[in-house]
Amino acid sequence: MLNIDLTGKVALVTGSTRGIGRAIAGTLAECGAKVAVVGRDRAKAEAVAEEIGEARGFACDVTVPADVTMLVQEVEEKFGSLDILVNNAGITRDNLMLRMKDDDWDAVMDANLRSAFVAIRAASRGMMKRRWGRIVNITSVVGLMWNKGQANYAASKAGLVGLTKSVAKELASRNILCNAVAPGFIETDMTAAMTAEARAAMSGEIPLERLGAPVDVAHAVAFLSSDLAAYVTGQVLVVDGGLAM
Ligand code: NDP
């Protein structure tokens, strides 16, 4: 049990049906927040919501801007508020830049970057009225270190850093904090496709000598969502076992 109190707060976590988002949703609920669990499939989102406590499941494809705006409105209506927004949903469509299709570029930018902008724009109105808000964007060490075969992903994650800092400056006077968390290699479906060899090679590059667990990222998000982080905004908290050092 974390010693972080989010009682009375409402959190929305995109892409929380599995992986890192699932761990973030569970951790925020453990800290006392009411949580909106979001994925493309309502049944999956509702199943996760049932498991984690005071939570509800919502279906939303974050690549559709109008749906993201409606999701924020729906969460505010059903829970009466929206205090913590975690933009976690993300995808990869890896290929070497010369072979990368326009569609692969657009799909990654829409899912990873535009979705966060649209959600922040929608959620910040209520946060401004209430003079309290926490926005956490899940970027990646790839957005800070770059990677071959991930031009689209790296650009989207670096873009999230720019978005985070701009929003932090715009909303600071309303007591809305906007930060990013940059995970390294975390054990999820996204990294499950790696061969044992690739995993061993990767672990060898990590000073803490292991891949991270989703909950390692969730703990950083819980901190940034809480009053413990009241004087922290526009920052990127790297959670990578020392990889990007
Ligand atoms: P997973 O692939 O395990 O899970 C992705 C989540 O995003 C799922 O809940 C999925 O829900 C949801 N999602 C994907 N596309 C959409 C969409 N269009 N609309 C709504 N939801 C969507 O990913 P991870 O948990 O590994 O990654 C989570 C975040 O962390 C991503 O932003 C990723 O870039 C970032 N990250 C991950 C790292 C890692 O090593 N795993 C490292 C650094 C950053 P569903 O399929 O049910 O719709």
Side-chain angles (χ1 to χ4, degrees):
M1 183 75 172
L2 290 186
N3 198 10
I4 288 178
D5 187 9
L6 300 177
T7 308
K9 303 295 184 200
V10 176
L12 186 168
V13 185
T14 65
S16 42
T17 51
R18 55 198 159 87
I20 292 171
R22 163 81 180 73
I24 294 169
T27 299
L28 297 183
E30 265 177 44
C31 294
K34 295 174 194 158
V35 181
V37 174
V38 185
R40 284 164 292 191
D41 184 285
R42 184 178 297 276
K44 266 204 251 171
E46 282 174 349
V48 171
E50 285 243 322
E51 285 167 27
I52 67 173
E54 202 166 342
R56 283 168 184 251
F58 296 82
C60 178
D61 181 341
V62 298
T63 63
V64 183
D67 290 2
V68 174
T69 305
M70 268 171 45
L71 168 72
V72 168
Q73 286 167 0
E74 207 184 333
V75 170
E76 285 175 332
E77 274 165 31
K78 295 226 161 101
F79 286 102
S81 187
L82 173 51
D83 311 295
I84 300 164
L85 168 67
V86 184
N87 289 305
N88 165 80
I91 59 165
T92 51
R93 291 275 187 282
D94 296 352
N95 213 335
L96 290 172
M97 179 274 298
L98 283 174
R99 292 190 198 137
M100 193 173 281
K101 305 263 191 298
D102 291 358
D103 283 353
D104 297 328
W105 176 270
D106 290 344
V108 168
M109 296 306 275
D110 291 355
N112 297 6
L113 183 55
R114 189 182 61 189
S115 63
F117 157 65
V118 175
I120 291 169
R121 188 178 56 190
S124 57
R125 293 187 204 285
M127 291 177 178
M128 284 163 77
K129 279 192 205 136
R130 290 184 291 274
R131 301 267 175 195
W132 199 97
R134 297 285 187 272
I135 299 165
V136 183
N137 298 316
I138 307 301
T139 175
S140 167
V141 287
V142 172
L144 309 172
M145 294 167 74
W146 332 116
N147 208 7
K148 280 185 198 168
Q150 291 199 305
N152 51 359
Y153 187 76
S156 73
K157 294 299 188 181
L160 273 178
V161 174
L163 175 68
T164 300
K165 289 173 186 277
S166 297
V167 168
K169 283 208 170 179
E170 285 191 29
L171 300 182
S173 65
R174 311 298 179 97
N175 194 31
I176 300 169
L177 313 182
C178 183
N179 291 288
V181 172
F185 285 86
I186 309 296
E187 299 265 18
T188 69
D189 292 349
M190 200 178 257
T191 43
M194 288 164 80
T195 62
E197 237 176 13
R199 293 167 78 84
M202 185 48 62
S203 300
E205 298 290 316
I206 301 170
L208 284 178
E209 297 179 346
R210 66 169 175 92
L211 270 67
V215 77
D216 292 321
V217 180
H219 289 164
V221 174
F223 163 67
L224 291 171
S225 301
S226 74
D227 280 328
L228 296 177
Y231 203 53
V232 180
T233 196
Q235 301 306 303
V236 182
L237 178 47
V238 179
V239 180
D240 69 345
L243 176 67
M245 216 174 4

